[in-house]
Amino acid sequence: MRIKVLGCSGGVGPDLRTTSLLVNDELLIDAGTGVGDLSLAQMSAITDVLLTHSHLDHICGLAFLADNLFGLIDRPLRVHATAETIKALRDHLFNWVIWPDFSELPDVEHPLIVFHELKPGSPIEVCGLQASAFKVLHTVPAVGYAIDSGNGVFAFSGDTYASDRLWSALNALPRLDQLMIDVAFPNEEAELGKLARHFTPTLLGEELSKLRHRPKLLLTHHKPGVELAIGQECAVALAGWDYRHLQRGDIIAS
Ligand SMILES: [Zn+2]
Ligand SMILES: [Zn+2]
């Protein structure tokens, strides 16, 4: 499994894109602004999208991806998400006000987007991989994903704050080789992290004691401007862990 990081920032700016991962050139995990760097040919090769939650930084690229693919592909783009996230997309994005409803275009018999509801705890086969969603704690209903390639297990927390269900879901995995996890704010913004439901370095370091696996940590979703502070604090909070701060363009092999 080859995962290309199209975006992993908590915001936008020069060389910063929001969350999106391209797996084996055909599966997208979240659709942030990183999707906008793909060519039309690369966009056309995507068959499935897994969404973690409905926040704009994780879904805005889906709107433009659908628009670009209109008339270009002769099969639907499958979008997998929880019922809550699908409802949010239908109500607030693909509602004919903010953007056309591509689940009815070009017509209801041959829609560009087909939504597939997924349930946390019920794995699905997607693009030859096994993907299982697990619930995490965020300000809106949100999930993370464990992706089993047959050679290894990669998990992505999505946007999350500390919660026992995150760790029990990860501990239930038979193995966990790499964990991509949210660290959005530095320690001095711990109160904001609690409100916005994002990890800070010290809290993540403490919570990791609940994890029975020892995966390589891939740190993501740093807010623009505080990357340096987060880096310095992680050097202390995650001492002893094998970790790195993800960058746009990175390749994760699993
Ligand atoms: Zn979010
Ligand atoms: Zn986010």
Side-chain angles (χ1 to χ4, degrees):
M1 177 164 63
R2 179 183 181 273
I3 303 171
K4 180 162 190 199
V5 179
L6 304 179
C8 59
S9 176
V12 295
D15 292 325
L16 299 178
R17 307 286 187 273
T18 68
T19 308
S20 192
L21 305 173
L22 183 61
V23 185
N24 294 341
D25 297 325
E26 54 186 0
L27 168 66
L28 209 56
I29 302 178
D30 276 347
T33 63
V35 174
D37 293 316
L38 295 174
S39 67
L40 272 181
Q42 289 172 314
M43 289 184 184
S44 304
I46 296 168
T47 60
D48 294 79
V49 183
L50 293 173
L51 296 176
T52 59
H53 67 300
S54 58
H55 277 159
L56 192 62
D57 56 323
H58 299 251
I59 57 128
C60 59
L62 183 60
F64 297 109
L65 176 66
D67 198 31
N68 273 13
L69 292 180
F70 190 81
L72 210 61
I73 55 173
D74 53 9
R75 39 85 195 159
L77 181 68
R78 292 181 290 264
V79 177
H80 309 267
T82 62
E84 294 96 333
T85 297
I86 292 171
K87 182 174 189 315
L89 289 173
R90 287 189 185 282
D91 289 351
H92 304 297
L93 178 59
F94 297 109
N95 60 5
W96 295 107
V97 177
I98 299 295
W99 210 241
D101 182 357
F102 283 99
S103 69
E104 294 183 357
L105 289 173
D107 60 70
V108 288
E109 306 277 299
H110 310 89
L112 185 80
I113 285 180
V114 173
F115 290 109
H116 290 260
E117 181 186 334
L118 55 78
K119 296 191 188 318
S122 298
I124 60 167
E125 283 284 323
V126 59
C127 300
L129 304 165
Q130 189 184 65
S132 46
F134 52 89
K135 282 188 181 179
V136 297
L137 179 61
H138 195 42
T139 54
V140 294
V143 296
Y145 289 100
I147 312 287
D148 190 338
S149 66
N151 296 319
V153 176
F154 162 84
F156 171 41
S157 70
D159 286 6
T160 187
Y161 191 64
S163 78
D164 284 344
R165 66 186 173 193
L166 166 67
W167 305 115
S168 55
L170 294 175
N171 285 336
L173 298 171
R175 64 184 281 185
L176 178 57
D177 302 276
Q178 301 189 79
L179 172 61
M180 178 173 162
I181 192 157
D182 167 353
V183 193
F185 297 113
N187 289 330
E188 70 170 9
E189 293 185 294
E191 271 308 305
L192 179 58
K194 189 174 179 182
L195 286 173
R197 298 279 199 252
H198 287 287
F199 270 119
T200 49
T202 296
L203 180 61
L204 177 60
E206 290 167 1
E207 286 281 307
L208 278 167
S209 64
K210 300 174 182 173
L211 183 62
R212 76 176 175 95
H213 304 289
R214 199 78 185 173
K216 176 164 188 164
L217 303 176
L218 307 168
L219 308 178
T220 185
H221 212 288
H222 306 346
K223 289 288 177 184
V226 293
E227 295 94 337
L228 198 61
I230 290 174
Q232 290 167 345
E233 292 168 2
C234 285
V236 177
L238 304 180
W241 285 89
D242 181 7
Y243 73 89
R244 72 180 157 114
H245 299 271
L246 274 186
Q247 307 270 345
R248 168 182 170 237
D250 281 354
I251 302 292
I252 303 164
S254 177

